[in-house]
Amino acid sequence: MKLRWKFFFILLTFSLVPLAIITIVSQRGTSRMGAEISADVQQNFARLATAILKRTAENSAAIVELGRKSFELALAGIADEAESAFTEDPPARVKVYFAADFDDPANTPPGAGPHPGYVIKSGAGSWVEDVVSFEHPSVFLSPGVSLSEVADDIDRLSLLTDAFVEISAKLGSALHWVYVSSESGVHLSFPGHGGYPEGYDPRQRSWYVDAADEMRWSLPLVDATTGQVIVTLSKLLRYRDGSRAGVAAMDVLLTEVLRVETLSSLFTAGMQSMLVTPVHNPQSQASDLLIIAQKKYQTQDSSWDGAITPERLSTEDPAKTAQLAGEIAAGRSGYIEMPYQGVPSIWAFSPVHPQTTFLMIVPREVTDRLPEKTLRAVRAFTSEGLLTTAFTALGAIVLAVLAALAGSRGFTRTMYELADAAGRLSRGDFSVRLHLRTHDERDQVIQAFNDMVPKLEDHLRMHESLKLATEVQQNLLPKIEPSLPGLDIAGISHYCDETGGDYYDYLEISKDPLGAAAVVVGDVSGHGAHAALLMASARAALRLRASLPGGPAEIIADVNRQFTADVNGSGAFMTLFYLAIDSSRAAVRWVRAGHDPAIWYDPDSGRFEEFGGQGFPLGVNEDAVFEERERKDLKSGGIIFIGTDGIWETAGPDGRLFGKDALRDLIRATCERSARDITKAVVHALETYRKGLKPSDDITMVVIKIL
């Protein structure tokens, strides 16, 4: 045998030994890595999907509850104006449009036209845009009512037009109709529209018959003019002698209540959302769930004068249904897995308010589709790698050995990059992409991974809605400072979480003969979304009440009654300091509702005083009486400081609090500066005191400097 052949076989033998070792190690490592990646991806996807559904249900319930409060507050204002209109002399007659005018193109009011937000069911069963007017309400007379007999009531109710326009603009697309019906048979509705069926009498509708002095929400019913399913909020109206004058009401589309379009875009059209309440089943002696509202009611063939009968929730697993009903009856949020109409599903739920819960049902395949696709790709990738390594080992020649080593090196790099990308994805990094090209079947795995990431990111868009909530709350705070002669005013609010319960505002109280503006600083107990919702509710009530006549003590007493009803024994409360300013007399009046007193500093004497007073926090006692105090002849250069306890209770690294003494020293040192500079100095001092620690409470302050 020639020497070159001996050398070849010797070299080949020494090459095969390390090749065999590399092959075995590579096969074991590849199998273990594939199994670890599969298990990790599956676990993280499952946990992430259920967490998203639970948070979506909680956010939806909070939005529904906030909408309920907004509608009730708006209807309270409409009802007050309507009752006032019924007691006044008829105003000068103005041009009104009757419902029949909207049905006749020759008499349609100017500016009226088809609108995509208002559709009616045509004779062919399809939905077409309805003609409505956002400038004029429509008047409808009940059957048998003579125009001459009710002309004065029409003139009185026409006074509500401006209120209707304002409420419609503020509530937006969430509001369908707002209207007032009188006992005399006059029905004034906004936006103006026609389409009333023959024989329609609003006084015979359930929302009219069942109306009471307190707000009432109806079960789903069919809108007589459009054929769409709605829920109605109503309130009884009375004359001064207590007799029945009529009913004020608002309609909301069922699809708006259930947030059908928003949730379907996040998940799938197969998703179901509904409002349910627990009821007792006398046959099984267990709890059932009654469906108050669901999208299915919209598709039922019901006439406008018929009734939609609420259904009981039907499931295939009585034990889990009883467990779900128990959780809902206890007022808890959560999720449970059980089939819905034969399809494995995830049921996520969260209470809207006592006895009403928002329920979402999402098919399990929606949440399983993406992780299963990834697992199949990883497993196929692993199997392919094992086969490739095995076949490479069979080609035991020098060029095959070198190719196997290079291929193994490239294969391992690809696997580790895939594992690293999967780890980043499990930690929430949705920018991750694999920029690899192997020019073989592994490219399909890489492409499948890259296609999966943006789809998963779409399912997590609800997380971004929390950021939007932060922006919305910031927009509720004043954008500019009030310009009042003789005063320099500045305010600021910093939240320790995404949303918070601190609040400040500037109110116009021109109907108060002793003051033209007011400054309000409040602090809701707790932090986060719950406190933010209560803050928004208190803000709306304050702004509405401050626009009506009354002094500070009256205003705060009325707001306290509304706020106590909102918290409904939950233990939440809000401290508030209300300061009315009369710049022409250099005087202030204030009410202290459990809040820390405002600080007054007189630079001439160098003395500090507190604007104190007695008063419960809002939400503790609905019949609480609040003390109103006054201070006159405020000296030029003096400073009023109103803040929340997050300022003086700021803790340093050693645990000691910033304290009010340090705050007074800071006010004394900066009294020559503008109000805005004083707020900046306080914020800077607190940041310096914390030395990098995250704040544990919201910080809000308003500085008023007498010029």
Side-chain angles (χ1 to χ4, degrees):
M1 181 179 293
K2 294 184 179 180
L3 181 61
R4 61 180 182 179
W5 287 109
K6 292 181 180 180
F7 182 77
F8 173 77
F9 285 118
I10 293 172
L11 182 61
L12 184 61
T13 301
F14 278 100
S15 299
L16 287 176
V17 173
L19 176 61
I21 297 174
I22 292 173
T23 300
I24 295 172
V25 172
S26 177
Q27 286 179 334
R28 291 181 177 177
T30 301
S31 298
R32 184 171 59 254
M33 186 178 300
E36 291 177 354
I37 292 174
S38 297
D40 186 59
V41 169
Q42 189 173 31
Q43 181 181 6
N44 281 293
F45 268 96
R47 183 169 60 250
L48 195 59
T50 52
I52 291 171
L53 291 178
K54 181 174 178 289
R55 178 58 62 86
T56 302
E58 291 173 346
N59 290 344
S60 297
I63 291 171
V64 171
E65 173 65 0
L66 182 59
R68 179 186 71 84
K69 293 180 178 179
S70 299
F71 272 85
E72 291 181 357
L73 186 63
L75 185 60
I78 292 294
D80 286 343
E81 294 209 21
E83 289 182 334
S84 297
F86 277 127
T87 60
E88 295 180 1
D89 293 332
R93 188 146 297 169
V94 297
K95 171 67 176 177
V96 297
Y97 293 91
F98 290 86
D101 296 331
F102 289 82
D103 298 329
D104 183 358
N107 296 323
T108 302
H115 191 280
Y118 293 83
V119 294
I120 58 176
K121 186 174 289 187
S122 66
S126 60
W127 294 96
V128 296
E129 293 182 0
D130 193 10
V131 175
V132 299
S133 171
F134 287 92
E135 299 176 7
H136 305 284
S138 59
V139 177
F140 176 81
L141 300 183
S142 298
V145 175
S146 170
L147 176 60
S148 61
E149 296 175 353
V150 296
D152 287 346
D153 277 353
I154 294 176
D155 293 337
R156 291 186 181 97
L157 292 181
S158 66
L159 296 172
L160 301 177
T161 300
D162 290 342
F164 281 176
V165 172
E166 182 180 359
I167 289 297
S168 177
K170 289 183 177 180
L171 295 180
S173 61
L175 174 67
H176 194 55
W177 307 122
V178 55
Y179 45 87
V180 172
S181 289
S182 70
E183 281 286 294
S184 61
V186 178
H187 182 75
L188 186 75
S189 181
F190 188 86
H193 63 285
Y196 290 93
E198 184 177 356
Y200 176 78
D201 189 339
R203 296 171 298 181
Q204 298 177 0
R205 298 287 277 172
S206 60
W207 54 263
Y208 191 97
V209 175
D210 297 335
D213 292 321
E214 71 277 3
M215 303 281 183
R216 283 192 177 179
W217 286 93
S218 73
L219 291 173
L221 49 90
V222 178
D223 180 20
T225 59
T226 66
Q228 294 183 278
V229 177
I230 57 174
V231 291
T232 300
L233 173 65
S234 62
K235 186 180 187 305
L236 182 64
L237 305 177
R238 295 188 182 276
Y239 290 111
R240 287 179 179 174
D241 61 2
S243 61
R244 187 181 180 110
V247 173
M250 292 180 174
D251 290 343
V252 186
L253 289 177
L254 185 65
T255 52
E256 285 287 338
V257 176
L258 298 177
R259 308 185 67 234
V260 171
E261 292 186 4
T262 300
L263 296 178
S264 295
S265 67
L266 288 176
F267 298 100
T268 175
M271 181 276 309
Q272 298 290 330
S273 61
M274 55 188 70
L275 294 178
V276 299
T277 186
V279 294
H280 180 69
N281 188 331
Q283 296 178 349
S284 64
Q285 297 299 315
S287 293
D288 281 350
L289 292 175
L290 185 69
I291 303 175
I292 301 174
Q294 63 173 330
K295 184 181 178 182
K296 177 182 175 182
Y297 293 159
Q298 177 66 57
T299 60
Q300 290 182 351
D301 188 15
S302 302
S303 61
W304 67 268
D305 55 352
I308 297 176
T309 304
E311 301 176 355
R312 288 180 183 262
L313 185 62
S314 176
T315 68
E316 303 161 15
D317 191 333
K320 285 196 173 181
T321 302
Q323 178 186 350
L324 174 64
E327 291 289 305
I328 289 176
R332 288 190 282 266
S333 301
Y335 67 91
I336 192 171
E337 295 190 36
M338 68 174 171
Y340 178 69
Q341 297 181 349
V343 178
S345 304
I346 298 177
W347 304 51
F349 53 91
S350 183
V352 176
H353 61 83
Q355 300 303 314
T356 302
T357 293
F358 191 92
L359 176 64
M360 292 174 48
I361 306 174
V362 179
R364 185 76 216 195
E365 64 177 7
V366 174
T367 59
D368 290 347
R369 192 178 299 131
L370 290 177
E372 286 179 356
K373 183 177 180 181
T374 303
L375 294 177
R376 287 196 301 269
V378 171
R379 289 164 184 160
F381 189 19
T382 303
S383 299
E384 177 193 336
L386 294 174
L387 290 174
T388 300
T389 305
F391 281 115
T392 301
L394 297 177
I397 59 176
V398 175
L399 291 178
V401 171
L402 296 176
L405 289 174
S408 176
R409 190 179 304 114
F411 176 81
T412 305
R413 181 175 66 87
T414 304
M415 286 296 297
Y416 276 116
E417 290 203 22
L418 178 60
D420 179 67
R424 290 169 58 189
L425 179 61
S426 69
R427 294 189 293 272
D429 181 3
F430 296 102
S431 65
V432 61
R433 296 293 188 277
L434 289 174
H435 301 289
L436 297 174
R437 289 295 181 268
T438 62
H439 304 290
D440 56 27
E441 290 80 1
R442 287 173 291 176
D443 284 340
Q444 298 177 12
V445 178
I446 295 171
Q447 185 62 42
F449 183 89
N450 289 338
D451 291 343
M452 173 199 67
V453 174
K455 293 179 181 178
L456 176 61
E457 186 175 12
D458 288 340
H459 286 287
L460 294 178
R461 283 183 298 172
M462 184 55 69
H463 176 70
E464 296 300 322
S465 67
L466 292 177
K467 296 182 181 178
L468 178 60
T470 302
E471 296 178 9
V472 169
Q473 187 175 26
Q474 288 294 327
N475 289 334
L476 295 180
L477 298 177
K479 296 181 176 61
I480 59 175
E481 315 297 347
S483 178
L484 297 175
L487 298 175
D488 178 17
I489 304 177
I492 193 170
S493 187
H494 288 173
Y495 297 137
C496 63
D497 295 327
E498 290 85 352
T499 55
D502 273 16
Y503 159 65
Y504 79 95
D505 204 354
Y506 309 123
L507 307 175
E508 293 185 6
I509 52 174
S510 55
K511 295 187 179 182
D512 185 341
L514 298 179
V519 174
V520 183
V521 174
D523 185 0
V524 178
S525 59
H527 307 289
H530 174 74
L533 287 173
L534 290 179
M535 183 275 272
S537 174
R539 175 185 182 272
L542 268 169
R543 283 184 163 246
L544 178 63
R545 181 60 185 85
S547 65
L548 303 175
E554 296 176 273
I555 291 174
I556 300 305
D558 290 343
V559 171
N560 175 60
R561 280 189 288 272
Q562 179 65 42
F563 189 82
T564 303
D566 287 345
V567 300
N568 193 26
S570 65
F573 61 89
M574 178 181 187
T575 65
L576 191 80
F577 196 95
Y578 183 101
L579 182 77
I581 305 172
D582 184 357
S583 58
S584 63
R585 298 190 304 126
V588 294
R589 292 176 296 145
W590 69 87
V591 171
R592 175 177 170 258
H595 200 80
D596 282 272
I599 298 174
W600 161 254
Y601 175 63
D602 182 359
D604 292 340
S605 64
R607 295 179 57 190
F608 285 92
E609 298 179 24
E610 290 188 342
F611 290 172
Q614 301 296 321
F616 286 98
L618 305 186
V620 175
N621 180 2
E622 66 176 351
D623 298 321
V625 177
F626 296 89
E627 178 185 3
E628 180 179 318
R629 293 191 177 186
E630 183 177 16
R631 174 69 181 267
K632 299 180 180 179
D633 301 324
L634 300 177
K635 294 182 179 180
S636 176
I639 294 172
I640 302 173
F641 185 96
I642 312 173
T644 59
D645 56 9
I647 298 174
W648 41 87
E649 292 182 1
T650 292
D654 57 359
R656 290 190 296 177
L657 304 183
F658 185 76
K660 286 192 176 182
D661 289 339
L663 176 61
R664 294 188 186 96
D665 292 341
L666 185 59
I667 294 173
R668 180 185 292 109
T670 58
C671 65
E672 298 296 329
R673 302 184 190 178
S674 67
R676 174 56 61 197
D677 286 343
I678 294 174
T679 63
K680 290 180 179 179
V682 174
V683 172
H684 177 72
L686 296 178
E687 290 175 349
T688 302
Y689 191 79
R690 286 195 303 268
K691 295 182 179 179
L693 294 178
K694 184 181 183 298
S696 60
D697 197 0
D698 304 333
I699 294 173
T700 298
M701 71 191 84
V702 175
V703 175
I704 307 166
K705 187 171 183 179
I706 312 300
L707 301 179

